[in-house]
Amino acid sequence: MAHIYPYTYFGNQLVSHADAKLSVASSAVLYGLSVYTVFHVTVHNGRYLAFRLEDHYRRLVHSCNIIGIDTFSEDWPYEAFRSAMTKLLHKNIPTGNVFVRASFHIDTELPGTRSRGLAAVLSAFVYDADPILPTDNIKLGVSSWRRTPDISIPARAKVNGGYVNSVLARQAALDQGYDDAIFLDENGHVTELSAANIFIVRDGTLITPGQSADILEGINRRTIIELATQEGISTQERPLDRTELYIANEIFVTGTSAFIAQVESVDGRPIGPAHPITDRLRPLYQSALTNPDSVYLDELL
Ligand code: PMP
């Protein structure tokens, strides 16, 4: 388990992490009715540089709109949110790179299964930026669990309750000796992993499922597409078949907590072994995330 820093933002203030508590009768607990994001913060000579913070904020707003949580953007305009995150970091004073998990929870007690007009609370805590997957040679298995479609629990909304789908697939994958699961959609097309987006390389072209493929619109996915385009690598967002995974020249996955992880095998079929495009993109991505001159970083002063 990653180390969590001592102070957590809860409501409108910083409290000790142990005091940031939700009621067992809140909708957040009863129905998984919280939306969240996790963003990376590079610590550089005592400066806190957050990766694509405004994009993370915008995705929180979108998640709230999808679920029907109507108070977030009124209670937390971007500048107020950014200022809360700044206070959180300056209070905890991390010296190494960290993740911040920011959530907006419905904490009204017993309103039943609905989402509008209910009291909600912001929480944010800081923890060490330990990757959730090895960065090299991960083994993936296609899951027998299907990704929740947009007409059921939209993958586009980062809502806690939706993650039961990810837990089912990842635990089954771990039980079978894989590092993570690849979800297919109801028609058998590739979507994403339990908490990361997927890219393959075929004949020099970088391919990833499109935005309407029942995926979370990953901020690192977008970054990789931008970096690859700048590099002159041809990229396609399009439906991806399961069997294209088996014949891919390279596969890697991306996400805040996965960074870039290069895939060794899918369903026991080896990929590679060379991965020149992954190797080209990885340092560019690292630099986007941690170089103080990166255009993607926002200093929280
Ligand atoms: N898909 C899912 C289901 C995720 O949970 C994540 C992690 N947030 C991602 C993709 C990657 O998104 P991001 O790059 O914004 O971290």
Side-chain angles (χ1 to χ4, degrees), residues 57-188:
Y57 172 81
R58 207 172 297 129
R59 189 171 65 190
L60 277 174
V61 171
H62 291 164
S63 294
C64 286
N65 286 346
I66 292 168
I67 302 301
I69 299 174
D70 48 13
T71 49
F72 178 62
S73 34
E74 286 160 36
D75 292 358
W76 293 98
Y78 180 60
E79 280 311 320
F81 176 80
R82 187 177 176 281
S83 150
M85 299 305 112
T86 305
K87 286 185 190 136
L88 173 71
L89 287 155
H90 285 266
K91 182 76 175 172
N92 282 298
I93 323 176
T95 50
N97 297 346
V98 288
F99 293 134
V100 175
R101 184 171 178 126
S103 309
F104 199 58
H105 315 276
I106 299 286
D107 70 343
T108 306
E109 295 193 318
L110 286 180
T113 49
R114 62 195 180 92
S115 59
R116 272 193 213 292
L118 303 173
V121 63
L122 179 76
S123 79
F125 62 88
V126 181
Y127 57 108
D128 285 338
D130 298 332
I132 51 168
L133 287 171
T135 48
D136 285 314
N137 299 324
I138 61 169
K139 297 181 178 64
L140 301 179
V142 172
S143 187
S144 58
W145 296 98
R146 297 294 167 104
R147 190 74 178 119
T148 46
D150 199 60
I151 51 167
S152 298
I153 301 178
R156 181 175 284 107
K158 203 159 169 54
V159 55
N160 286 19
Y163 275 80
V164 173
N165 186 223
S166 290
V167 171
L168 287 169
R170 175 121 197 279
Q171 187 59 58
L174 294 174
D175 292 345
Q176 291 160 29
Y178 296 120
D179 295 301
D180 204 343
I182 298 171
F183 276 118
L184 305 180
D185 68 13
E186 289 185 306
N187 298 315

Side-chain angles (χ1 to χ4, degrees), residues 284-295:
L284 299 173
Y285 170 74
Q286 263 308 319
S287 169
L289 197 64
T290 57
N291 184 327
D293 297 329
S294 160
V295 293

